[in-house]
Structure formats: C-alpha cells, structure tokens
Amino acid sequence: MPLPRINPTRTGAWERLGAHYQQLKDKSLRDLFSEDPERAERFSIEWNSFLLDYSKNRIDAGTMELLEELARECGLEQAMEAYFSGEPINETEGRAVLHMALRAEAGDGFHLDGVDLYGEVSRVRKQMQAFSGEIISGKRTGYTGKAFTDVVNIGIGGSDLGPVMVTEALKYYRNHLRLHFMSNVDGDHVHDILHGLNPETTLFVIVSKSFTTQETLSNALTARAWFLQHTSHENVGAHFAAVSTNTDKIGEFGIAPENVFPMWDWVGGRFSLWSAVGLSICLSIGYEHFSNLLRGARDMDRHFRSAPLGENLPVVLGLLSLWYNNFFGAETEAVIPYSQYLHRLPAYLQQGVMESNGKSVDRDGHRVPYQTGTIIWGEPGTNSQHAFFQLIHQGTKLIPADFIGFRHSLFGDLEHHHKLMANFFAQTEALMNGKPEDEVRQELQARGVSGPALDRLAPFKVFEGNNPTNTLLIDRLSPETLGALIALYEHKIFVQGILWNIFSYDQWGVELGKELANTILRELEDSKFGRHDASTLQLLQYFNR
Ligand code: F6P
C-alpha cells in the first residue's frame, strides 16, 4: 500500500480552512478566551504524565474540525497504517521506516518482508546491555588493565545529535563515565577532545550508518592514529567499537567483531538513537535507563497509533503547525524547553524536522505550490528570554512556540524551580495577552509620566500579544518522559510530511554539497583548481595563498 498522493490544497477542507482563516485571522486570543469559558479544557490533552495545553493558539473548535478533516482527506490514517506495517514508505530509497520497531516489545508485530523484527532487535539490545554493563562495571578494561573513564562518540548528524541530546538531557542519571562527542571534521574540535584524554582509559565508539561519511571516517582515523602514538595495533580492538549497517567496512578499520553493533537500513539516521546508535547513551546512563527511554517512546507510539485524531498529541501538534505554516505564513517555530538539561533538543529537532520535511517536490515528483517544512530553532528558557524573546514579543514576525516544562525538578530545589516555572507560565501568558496601549498609558501615568513624554513613550511599551504557544507540562524529566517526548516530535514530522504530500525519509538535499566538497578537497591538496564560478575561485585562491 503506497502512501496516498493528494495535493492538500486541492481538498475541500483546505478551501474551507482558507475561508475560515479569513474570519479568524484578526481575532484576538483574549477574545477567544472570553467567548468560551471551556476553552482551556477543550483544547488540552492529558496523556500519561503529559499535559498539552494548546488553547493559546489562534483556533476555535471549527479550526480543529477542519484540520482533522484535512488530515482525513489527505489519507493520514491510511498512511499511518502503511508506516506501522513496514511498507516501503521511504519510496525514493525503497525502504521501510521502522524506528518504532527498535522500541517494541515481543508481540508488537513489527514485520519486514514477513519477518518479525523483534528477534534481531532484541539480540542487538542484549549485545548493548552486555557491552555497556562490562564497560561501566570495569569488567572490561583498557589495554593496561585500567577501567575506562571516558567514551568518545565519533559520528555526525543522526549519529551524533540524538546521542548527544539524550546524554545531555539525562545527565542527572549518568554514571562515572565522561562522554565526549566528536562530530565536526574541524581538526581543532578533534584535537581539543583528544588533548584531554588518556589513551589507556578511553573508549571510542564510531557511529556511522553508512560508514562512508567523510567527517566520521576522518575523525575516526585521527583518533586511531592518536591512540597508536601511545600503544600498538593489537590494542585497537579493546578501545574501539563501531555501529553501522556497513559491517564489512568496519572490519577493514580493524575493529574486533564482538565490538561491532549492527543497524539496519529501515532506520533513518535522524531516528536512530533507539538502535545501537544509542550505545553512548547506554554507556552514559546504563542499560536499565536506556530501556526506560525505549519504553517511553513505545508508549507514545501506541498513543499515536490508537488515539482519535482530535486527542492525538502528534496529530494535534502537526496540524497546528501546518495551520500557521500554510495559512498564517509563519516560517519558523521555536522550541523552548524550560530545562537546561534539554539544551540540545532544538538542535536535535532541527535535523529531525528540517532534514525530513525540507522538501519542495511532491510524491509524484512535481514542485509543490505551497510551503512545506518549518524552520526550527530555540534555546532553553530562561536564557532565551534574555536573548531573542524581544523579537517574539514585539517583532514583526509570527513565531509559534512550543514551551516544554516539568512539574518537578530533579534536584528538588523548589525555590529555583518556582522561579523557573514562574517564567515559563508568565511568558506564554504575556505572549498571548500582550499589553494594550490603554494599560501602558495607565502604568506610565501612575509613574508620573504625562503629556508629550507619555505620548512619545507609550508606543514602544505596547505588546500586541496574540502570539500562539503550545504548553507541554510534563511530570519530570526522566528516561521515560524523554523517550515519549522525542517520539511525539518524530510522529509530528510524519503527520506533516503526509499532509504536505512529500517524502519525509530521504535527504537527497545534503548530497550536492558533499560531492562538491570532495572535488574541492582534491583541488586543495593538489593546489590546482578546476572550473568554478568567479567568486568560489577567488575564495579558493585567497585561501591557498
Ligand atoms: O547529513 C546527511 C546524513 O546522511 C544524515 O542523514 C545522517 O544522520 C548523517 O549524514 C550521518 O550519516 P552516517 O550515520 O551514515 O555517517
């Protein structure tokens, strides 16, 4: 069953949404709240330890009905069936998209070509459990018999961002191992990491789905050369592990077969942290926490698969985002976690969302006549309040934002947590309500400002408000809730890709730059430049001078 091919703009729901937008676009959220006393409850979803309050959006009950109608007309339910049943929905690469199988339990029934994937997945999970357990406990040691103290994950894109985001997010649960992430081919980054390490107690985990990525292979070779400056070749086996679908290439690198962790082509790099790509996560927090991360994601998978569209977290978030993207013309979305531990979440979501849905060709190969993937950005609150919130509050752009916060802090410092969360609540309230001119005037008058000074100052202090936000209030940051949160965004990506009639699971757009870089690298090495535009040639010659 291939994915449906429906131009969303040709559906009846799209047309009705267009008319509905005209009626709603100038309405204020303040008015919408005063017209409907049930609004907060009506536009909230409670699920496990999550509360999603999406009432501070520029919607009414009619909007959500029309958006759901759009989802149905675009064949979302049929597409979900194809997704979960292992159909090759990544059509341009001829692959299934089954990262959900990586967190499944026995009997969940994820099949590919008639084979239940559980057997293979659980075999690799056991391998991860045994390996990480032995490294953490010190049973497996380095070449001089000392226990490992440091782990360096060498990978880029999905082979870096997921592991680094999760290990940072779950630092509270970490053990004694120090984690380092070597991703950029920038030698300064590589040598800076190596500089502080002891080869006797450092484990390198090379992660590359393809095992052909220039950055990862170069960094791995540099790491191995550094290691070999201290010891002999026969010790490489004890200090290097690798994760890839390309196990032949790993052998060539000299990695011991028992340190090779397979993955599969039905897992996209940006959705792979649940596989052995998450080995560094496992090393950092131990297998039990890792399996709780999987459990949280599994719970979200089940919710996504079974909840009615209007009560379905990924569907609702996906539809709201489309509403702003395609009707209000919003280009970006901010993700603001009120937890410093989640500081890499926006960067992680950038790859997930932008590599997946940054497409301009529909599933029939035609240019889409509408906007697709949103630009994702963000930083944790409260830091971001002191950086870019000015523009969200008083700038000219509409920026829908997701606020993610936790009811309980991990260290239990209530005083800090109340301050943090007071800001969290205050920001969405301020973004929604703004501050009208009469209020500004009253405030200034109360401070003794009057006459021309009052008139001059007032406009600068007005906040228009009406800025939409989603609030996700979660019980506490744990492996389970983090797993569910990540899976929520993964499925939101799927929902949007389906509605936009694009293929979300390939990434051809990163290839051209890679090819040109290879050509230029050869030219730099030979100091001989081929055909380039005048600007690029000038830059190359200047660099080489
Ligand atoms: O940037 C393109 C990309 O293919 C990503 O999709 C992927 O996560 C990254 O490169 C790394 O690829 P690999 O894991 O094969 O080294």
Side-chain angles (χ1 to χ4, degrees):
M1 186 194 354
L3 290 178
R5 281 149 159 75
I6 295 160
N7 176 341
T9 63
R10 300 248 173 88
T11 59
W14 190 280
E15 203 184 317
R16 287 190 285 283
L17 277 163
H20 179 72
Y21 166 74
Q22 292 304 329
Q23 289 164 5
L24 203 81
K25 69 180 176 27
D26 298 320
K27 241 184 161 171
S28 77
L29 280 164
R30 276 182 186 236
D31 290 344
L32 288 167
F33 268 91
S34 53
E35 282 166 18
D36 179 5
E38 313 283 301
R39 184 177 171 87
E41 213 178 305
R42 184 188 314 285
F43 295 127
S44 289
I45 300 172
E46 255 189 273
W47 172 81
N48 286 4
S49 64
F50 283 49
L51 169 67
L52 168 68
D53 179 337
Y54 61 100
S55 62
K56 293 189 183 82
N57 275 294
R58 292 166 69 170
I59 54 166
D60 62 17
T63 324
M64 291 318 289
E65 274 167 32
L66 287 172
L67 286 168
E68 279 174 46
E69 222 176 288
L70 177 69
R72 284 199 190 88
E73 278 194 72
C74 291
L76 177 63
E77 286 150 315
Q78 170 198 341
M80 279 166 76
E81 200 39 50
Y83 177 42
F84 278 96
S85 54
E87 298 287 332
I89 64 164
N90 174 1
E91 287 182 33
T92 64
E93 295 181 318
R95 294 175 186 166
V97 176
L98 277 172
H99 45 276
M100 298 80 78
L102 298 168
R103 50 232 191 185
E105 278 182 317
D108 277 352
F110 284 98
H111 288 86
L112 188 68
D113 302 327
V115 178
D116 189 337
L117 295 174
Y118 184 75
E120 231 176 313
V121 167
S122 69
R123 189 173 50 74
V124 178
R125 277 189 205 158
K126 283 193 191 115
Q127 193 191 351
M128 291 168 74
Q129 181 174 19
F131 181 82
S132 58
E134 288 178 8
I135 299 285
I136 296 165
S137 68
K139 188 168 169 211
R140 249 191 216 229
T141 63
Y143 65 93
T144 56
K146 290 186 187 157
F148 287 102
T149 55
D150 294 81
V151 176
V152 182
N153 187 91
I154 306 179
I156 197 164
S159 300
D160 166 69
L161 286 162
V164 73
M165 184 275 282
V166 174
T167 47
E168 285 296 302
L170 298 180
K171 246 184 177 163
Y172 179 79
Y173 303 88
R174 75 190 153 186
N175 52 43
H176 62 282
L177 291 172
R178 286 184 294 262
L179 268 289
H180 310 266
F181 290 87
M182 194 183 272
S183 50
N184 200 324
V185 76
D186 177 359
D188 290 343
H189 169 62
V190 171
H191 291 288
D192 188 68
I193 291 174
L194 293 174
H195 184 65
L197 295 174
N198 176 357
E200 292 172 61
T201 57
T202 299
L203 175 73
F204 294 93
V205 182
I206 308 169
V207 187
S208 176
K209 181 178 163 185
S210 58
F211 226 74
T212 58
T213 305
Q214 185 210 49
E215 291 91 331
T216 302
L217 295 191
S218 306
N219 291 351
L221 287 171
T222 304
R224 190 177 62 176
W226 171 86
F227 181 75
L228 290 174
Q229 279 168 15
H230 302 88
T231 180
S232 57
H233 209 274
E234 78 235 22
N235 292 324
V236 167
H239 285 255
F240 283 77
V243 183
S244 184
T245 54
N246 194 348
T247 38
D248 296 344
K249 275 256 177 191
I250 299 181
E252 287 166 27
F253 192 91
I255 291 175
E258 67 274 17
N259 290 1
V260 173
F261 294 79
M263 68 176 291
W264 307 277
D265 71 2
W266 41 266
V267 184
R270 52 193 175 274
F271 304 98
S272 64
L273 68 89
W274 324 99
S275 70
V277 168
L279 188 60
S280 353
I281 303 173
C282 219
L283 286 161
S284 163
I285 59 175
Y287 187 77
E288 204 181 315
H289 287 314
F290 182 74
S291 79
N292 290 337
L293 179 82
L294 301 185
R295 183 151 57 86
R298 176 163 71 236
D299 289 347
M300 181 56 74
D301 294 341
R302 289 176 179 166
H303 164 77
F304 177 53
R305 212 173 170 177
S306 61
L309 298 186
E311 294 159 34
N312 192 311
L313 292 166
V315 172
V316 167
L317 287 183
L319 293 176
L320 288 167
S321 161
L322 179 143
W323 175 232
Y324 294 116
N325 187 64
N326 295 93
F327 292 89
F328 283 79
E331 297 219 315
T332 81
E333 259 167 44
V335 177
I336 318 289
Y338 276 66
S339 162
Q340 195 56 33
Y341 282 129
L342 290 180
H343 70 114
R344 296 294 287 161
L345 181 68
Y348 168 78
L349 292 177
Q350 273 171 349
Q351 189 201 13
V353 174
M354 293 162 76
E355 199 163 89
S356 301
N357 287 337
K359 312 286 166 64
S360 51
V361 170
D362 72 14
R363 290 200 275 271
D364 282 321
H366 303 128
R367 174 139 194 127
V368 293
Y370 46 84
Q371 289 291 317
T372 60
T374 43
I375 299 163
I376 299 292
W377 58 287
E379 277 288 319
T382 60
N383 293 9
S384 48
Q385 293 174 202
H386 299 273
F388 53 73
F389 265 54
Q390 165 64 36
L391 185 144
I392 306 186
H393 281 291
Q394 285 190 314
T396 53
K397 294 183 170 57
L398 177 72
I399 301 173
D402 287 355
F403 278 66
I404 301 167
F406 297 91
R407 292 182 59 225
H408 303 284
S409 72
L410 295 178
F411 282 94
D413 187 327
L414 254 194
E415 201 184 319
H416 274 278
H417 199 56
H418 280 170
K419 284 178 186 158
L420 174 74
M421 294 307 282
N423 277 281
F424 174 81
F425 297 118
Q427 286 298 329
T428 59
E429 195 173 37
L431 285 165
M432 172 172 87
N433 288 327
K435 195 188 272 187
E437 192 170 340
D438 53 342
E439 243 174 70
V440 170
R441 285 179 165 275
Q442 273 169 26
E443 259 183 34
L444 286 171
Q445 275 161 351
R447 282 176 31 213
V449 185
S450 61
L454 175 70
D455 294 339
R456 221 178 17 253
L457 202 50
F460 300 100
K461 297 204 152 223
V462 170
F463 288 63
E464 280 180 17
N466 230 12
N467 293 298
T469 56
N470 292 308
T471 299
L472 256 175
L473 192 51
I474 303 169
D475 191 51
R476 72 179 69 234
L477 178 56
S478 67
E480 290 92 328
T481 57
L482 181 69
L485 180 68
I486 301 168
L488 163 56
Y489 278 102
E490 286 181 347
H491 296 314
K492 175 185 169 188
I493 292 167
F494 168 82
V495 169
Q496 295 196 296
I498 294 303
L499 267 70
W500 285 324
N501 192 25
I502 53 176
F503 287 124
S504 301
Y505 298 99
D506 56 22
Q507 57 285 318
W508 301 107
V510 293
E511 293 305 319
L512 178 60
K514 283 189 199 170
E515 281 163 30
L516 293 185
N518 283 334
T519 308
I520 293 179
L521 177 61
R522 281 193 300 274
E523 292 176 353
L524 283 175
E525 281 163 358
D526 298 347
S527 291
K528 248 203 249 144
F529 301 111
R531 278 164 63 92
H532 294 280
D533 60 86
S535 161
T536 308
L537 196 59
Q538 168 180 265
L539 293 166
L540 288 170
Q541 283 164 345
Y542 188 89
F543 176 79
N544 224 31
R545 209 152 72 184

